[in-house]
Structures are given as C-alpha cells and as structure tokens.
Amino acid sequence: PLVSIIVPTFNQEKYLKQCLNSISEQTYRNIEVIIVDDGSNLETKKIIREFATLNQVHVIENSSNFGLPRSLDLGLGSAKGNLLTWVSSDNYLADCFVEKFVREFLLSEGIGIIYSDFEIVNEESKEIGRDFGWRNYDRISIKPNRLTMHRFKSLRKVNPINVVGASFMMRREVFSFVGGH
C-alpha cells in the first residue's frame, strides 16, 4: 500500500534535513511525502526546496503561520495513501519504520491505528530515554531492534486529547472518520 508521510514544519532548519533524510532512507519505497511549510523562514524554505527537487515530493506552502492542526489537516487532506502518518520536522525515523508498520497493518486487517515506543534523543542523537503514548494497547511485537509496537484495543476508548506518541501510523478511514483536527 501507498504510505503518505506528512511533514509539517515551521522554522526547523536545525533539524529538518535529518528528518527528511530519514524519510528518503526508508527501506519501504512506496511512499508519498507531503511537506507543509507553515510560513517558515528562508533557511527552512531552502532545505524544503532542495529536498523537494531531489525527491519529487509535494510541498504545500501556507501563506502565513496557520498552526499545527490546520497544517496537518491540509497535508493529510491532500494525501493519496491508504496508510497515513506524520512526523514532526524536529524528529527522524528509523530506516525500517514504514516497512515494519506496513507489515503489521497487513497482518492486522481490523486495526485502524498502530503505534510504537520511541526513543528520545538529545542534540547529538544520543538516546536519553524511551516513551510511548496511551497505555490501553495490545503489545503485538517485540523485535530485536527494540521496536515495540501496539494497537488500540478499541477506538471507542480513545481519549479525545492527543494520546499517541511520536511514532504511529493509521488507516485513511480513521482520519476520514475523525474528520481532521
């Protein structure tokens, strides 16, 4: 399946290159990248242009700083993938991120959202901790590379606030059902 990765960004020139490079280095290749430039400065725009030229990504340029929820809705609304995720522009993905999530979705037909633990790193990319989102989950895999994945037991039990950590993927139907941010 096609996976759409949305990257909302606002003045993140310090980390944006590492974020975008981590997307281009994914082992799973059927990926659509949508960068939503939320009124960034010239340095951030330059990085976006370089990446977009090399990787044929779709760029949405907001006329001013719309904020994260609206930027995400713009990106997710233009996505063509059956599986959707977004990554903050100051985060980066393990090279197997998309591959492992797609594999779990193919094995878990009735599941709408899957998320995993994630590492917290400092400015030198040294791990300083681990975290995960909401705790009402089924642990579905523990891999040798330390990726522990979870899926919601019931979408009806989801708290209305942001409950999933920084490492997740959802089926398009979930975003359509919720209706955006």
Side-chain angles (χ1 to χ4, degrees):
L2 177 63
V3 175
S4 296
I5 302 176
I6 314 308
V7 182
T9 190
F10 176 70
N11 297 342
Q12 283 290 338
E13 64 275 1
K14 184 173 181 180
Y15 302 105
L16 184 58
K17 252 185 200 176
Q18 184 176 16
C19 173
L20 297 174
N21 285 337
S22 76
I23 295 170
S24 67
E25 294 167 357
Q26 291 298 301
T27 56
Y28 185 86
R29 303 306 300 167
N30 195 17
I31 296 173
E32 166 192 49
V33 180
I34 301 169
I35 301 171
V36 183
D37 177 5
D38 196 19
S40 294
N41 59 32
L42 292 176
E43 293 300 315
T44 301
K45 287 182 183 306
K46 180 180 175 189
I47 295 167
I48 292 169
R49 277 194 304 273
E50 289 171 9
F51 187 81
T53 302
L54 295 174
N55 296 286
Q56 300 177 337
V57 302
H58 180 63
V59 177
I60 298 172
E61 287 193 51
N62 295 346
S63 56
S64 62
N65 183 248
F66 292 168
L68 183 60
R70 187 166 173 203
S71 293
L72 284 173
D73 284 347
L74 289 169
L76 291 165
S78 69
K80 295 178 178 61
N82 296 321
L83 297 173
L84 309 171
T85 190
W86 67 273
V87 58
S88 295
S89 56
D90 61 346
N91 293 347
Y92 59 92
L93 304 174
D95 63 356
C96 61
F97 170 85
V98 175
E99 178 183 347
K100 295 211 180 270
F101 274 79
V102 168
R103 183 179 313 138
E104 292 296 338
F105 272 109
L106 294 175
L107 295 171
S108 308
E109 209 162 299
I111 297 299
I113 299 172
I114 298 175
Y115 67 100
S116 71
D117 295 352
F118 56 93
E119 296 176 1
I120 301 169
V121 298
N122 64 16
E123 290 186 8
E124 291 82 37
S125 296
K126 181 180 180 198
E127 183 180 344
I128 58 173
R130 294 181 67 73
D131 201 357
F132 52 90
W134 193 45
R135 276 105 173 133
N136 185 22
Y137 59 79
D138 288 328
R139 187 168 294 229
I140 57 176
S141 63
I142 299 175
K143 306 290 183 196
N145 68 357
R146 300 170 52 202
L147 178 66
T148 304
M149 301 181 81
H150 316 278
R151 57 186 171 204
F152 286 116
K153 290 180 180 175
S154 170
L155 285 177
R156 294 177 190 259
K157 294 180 183 177
V158 173
N159 188 324
I161 61 170
N162 183 11
V163 294
V164 176
S167 179
F168 74 96
M169 194 174 289
M170 65 182 156
R171 293 187 193 277
R172 169 178 292 287
E173 297 82 35
V174 172
F175 178 74
S176 298
F177 176 78
V178 172
H181 292 85

